[in-house]
């Protein structure tokens, strides 16, 4: 089986490759990366002849054409994106270009490959729960039929990604499955994201020379702690992406989410409780972490996906917090 992963250097792409190499016999992973991307998440693949890295960029059609021609995939996992909501406020044009135009470039090259008999893969097009934006209280848990109310440049870009993916199925018969994953966390999560940022700050303090010295206290900086999230462990997330290939219908959209719903503040409290000295931390608002608009109510109804695949989460917020802290303890 030949699998093309776009964006393997990212959090989810690297975990997806881990899952495939561990669980799928005779798999060959072709992985796109940009020359300027960091390789922290993929160093453990170096020397594994089951993984072939390909230099490519979503905004460069020629590089995508070459990647598809080289890989001739049976499956495509499209993870590559500008995936930081906070960054999207600063660089909205770049975010839209990468996520909307870049996804269109990929789909167009896959259409050409299909028309020319090169390959006709199953495509998991990874959208986001952020397309729903700020759901109303009487709309949760959120179904796939919920209105789209994108609330920031990133979520707007994922609406474009989502709709273009649907279009290429309807117009050209590409075997596209659109997933809308809700909050998913674990080891290797970038510190631009809230829970990983909190864990990073905690571990930085833990590793300080005088940590825990009598009378000392340590700040954890945060943004909006009142946002409600439903958390899913990354290992359950990538398992879900695999089951989508096996069981989901082309042209359909599927919400995927965990079972543990709480505020971001609750998750921060759990991380602090798992630190080496929980009583020495204080929480302080950082104005730079307050977004101009915030998506505050993310509770999924993933019954459509669960009924189709039999998937259910095996890990919760406890394991997420443990993995985030242990990851940063291993790399800082």
């Amino acid at each position: 089986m030949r699998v093309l992963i776009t964006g393997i250097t990212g959090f989810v792409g690297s975990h997806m490759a881990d899952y495939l190499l561990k669980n799928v016999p005779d798999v060959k992973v072709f992985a796109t990366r940009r020359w300027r991307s960091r390789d922290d998440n993929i160093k453990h693949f170096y020397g594994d002849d089951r993984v072939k890295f390909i230099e490519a960029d979503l905004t460069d059609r020629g590089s995508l054409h070459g990647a598809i021609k080289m890989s001739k995939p049976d499956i495509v996992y499209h993870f590559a994106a500008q995936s930081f909501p906070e960054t999207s406020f600063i660089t909205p044009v770049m975010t839209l270009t990468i996520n909307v135009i870049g996804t269109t470039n990929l789909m167009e090259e896959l259409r050409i490959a299909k028309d020319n008999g090169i390959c006709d893969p199953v495509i998991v097009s990874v959208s986001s729960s952020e397309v729903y934006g700020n759901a109303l209280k009487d709309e949760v848990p959120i179904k796939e039929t919920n209105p789209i109310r994108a609330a920031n440049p990133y979520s707007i870009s994922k609406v474009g990604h989502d709709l273009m993916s649907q279009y290429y199925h309807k117009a050209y018969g590409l075997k596209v499955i659109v997933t809308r994953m809700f909050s998913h966390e674990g080891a290797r999560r970038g510190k631009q994201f809230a829970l990983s940022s909190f864990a990073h700050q905690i571990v930085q303090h833990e590793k300080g020379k005088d940590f825990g010295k009598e009378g000392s206290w340590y700040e954890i900086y945060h943004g909006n702690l009142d946002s409600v999230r439903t958390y899913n462990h990354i290992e359950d997330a990538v398992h879900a992406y695999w089951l989508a290939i096996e069981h989901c219908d082309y042209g359909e959209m599927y919400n995927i989410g965990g079972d543990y719903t709480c505020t971001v503040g609750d998750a921060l409290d759990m991380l602090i409780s798992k630190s080496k000295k929980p009583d020495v931390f204080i929480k302080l608002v950082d104005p730079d972490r307050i977004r101009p608009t915030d998506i505050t109510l993310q509770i999924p109804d993933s019954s459509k996906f669960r009924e189709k695949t039999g998937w259910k989460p095996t890990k919760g917020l406890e394991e997420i917090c443990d993995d985030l802290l242990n990851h940063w303890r291993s790399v800082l």
Side-chain angles (χ1 to χ4, degrees):
M1 180 176 291
R2 299 166 70 88
V3 181
L4 176 62
I5 296 176
T6 70
I8 194 173
T9 58
F11 168 57
V12 188
S14 64
H15 279 282
M16 192 74 239
D18 284 336
Y19 180 90
L20 294 170
L21 295 172
K22 181 179 179 181
N23 296 285
V24 180
D26 302 319
V27 70
K28 178 73 173 179
V29 174
F30 296 85
T32 70
R33 55 179 292 180
R34 298 175 303 171
W35 65 268
R36 62 189 180 277
S37 296
R38 297 181 61 173
D39 67 352
D40 305 54
N41 294 338
I42 60 170
K43 288 179 179 178
H44 60 293
F45 298 133
Y46 293 166
D48 190 329
D49 59 11
R50 296 173 296 171
V51 181
K52 171 69 174 177
F53 292 105
I54 305 171
E55 296 289 339
D57 191 304
L58 291 179
T59 61
D60 187 309
R61 282 274 300 271
S63 68
L64 296 176
H65 179 86
I68 293 166
K69 186 176 181 180
M70 178 185 296
S71 60
K72 297 181 177 63
D74 304 299
I75 296 169
V76 175
Y77 282 108
H78 177 33
F79 296 114
Q82 194 300 92
S83 59
F84 305 135
E86 185 174 347
T87 300
S88 77
F89 291 106
I90 303 167
T91 59
V93 173
M94 181 191 73
T95 300
L96 289 164
T97 300
I98 294 171
N99 295 354
V100 183
I101 304 303
T103 294
T104 305
N105 285 339
L106 177 65
M107 294 297 169
E108 184 66 8
E109 287 300 329
L110 288 166
R111 177 192 69 79
I112 292 170
K114 176 178 181 286
D115 289 348
N116 291 336
I118 295 171
C119 60
D120 184 17
V122 179
I123 305 159
V124 174
S125 188
V126 180
S127 182
S128 169
S129 63
E130 292 236 354
V131 300
Y132 299 115
N134 284 312
L136 305 179
K137 288 184 178 180
D138 62 357
E139 293 175 340
V140 297
I142 300 168
K143 296 180 178 290
E144 289 84 355
T145 53
N146 212 70
I148 286 174
R149 300 189 186 91
N152 58 55
Y154 170 73
S155 61
I156 292 168
S157 76
K158 295 307 282 188
V159 171
H161 166 129
D162 197 306
L163 293 176
M164 288 306 297
S165 300
Q166 294 179 49
Y167 164 74
Y168 272 87
H169 167 74
K170 293 172 184 175
Y172 302 110
L174 294 191
K175 295 185 285 192
V176 178
I177 300 161
V178 176
T179 60
R180 296 170 179 167
M181 183 73 71
F182 284 67
S183 297
H184 46 299
E185 305 288 343
R188 302 182 207 150
R189 185 60 144 164
K191 64 178 183 289
Q192 297 90 339
F193 294 87
L195 268 61
S196 188
S197 169
F198 302 152
H200 181 265
Q201 292 179 72
I202 289 169
V203 172
Q204 277 188 316
H205 290 310
E206 287 180 346
K207 289 182 175 287
K209 182 179 179 180
D210 296 322
F211 177 72
K213 184 178 179 180
E214 186 174 353
S216 297
W217 47 269
Y218 305 88
E219 304 95 339
I220 302 296
Y221 292 98
H222 62 79
N224 180 13
L225 295 182
D226 295 326
S227 292
V228 176
R229 296 285 185 269
T230 301
Y231 289 107
N232 192 20
H233 194 281
I234 183 58
E235 292 180 10
D236 288 324
V238 294
H239 181 217
Y241 286 135
W242 175 252
L243 292 176
I245 292 288
E246 295 186 319
H247 300 288
C248 289
D249 296 325
Y250 308 144
E252 290 293 314
M253 290 68 68
Y254 295 91
N255 289 344
I256 307 173
D259 289 334
Y260 196 104
T261 299
C262 64
T263 66
V264 174
D266 293 333
L268 173 54
D269 289 341
M270 184 178 288
L271 281 163
I272 290 173
S273 75
K274 291 176 174 292
S275 68
K276 293 181 178 179
K277 288 186 177 293
D279 57 345
V280 302
F281 291 101
I282 62 169
K283 296 176 282 188
L284 293 176
V285 174
D286 177 359
D288 290 338
R289 295 170 186 256
I290 301 295
R291 297 175 181 173
T293 57
D294 202 4
I295 293 174
T296 58
L297 198 60
Q298 287 276 287
I299 304 173
D301 180 340
S302 54
S303 57
K304 177 181 177 181
F305 182 78
R306 296 189 188 205
E307 290 167 7
K308 198 73 178 175
T309 64
W311 177 87
K312 62 181 180 180
T314 63
K315 296 184 176 183
L317 190 60
E318 291 269 357
E319 290 87 353
I320 287 170
C321 290
D322 288 337
D323 285 359
L324 283 168
L325 288 167
N326 290 334
H327 169 72
W328 287 118
R329 286 168 182 155
S330 71
V331 300
L332 288 181

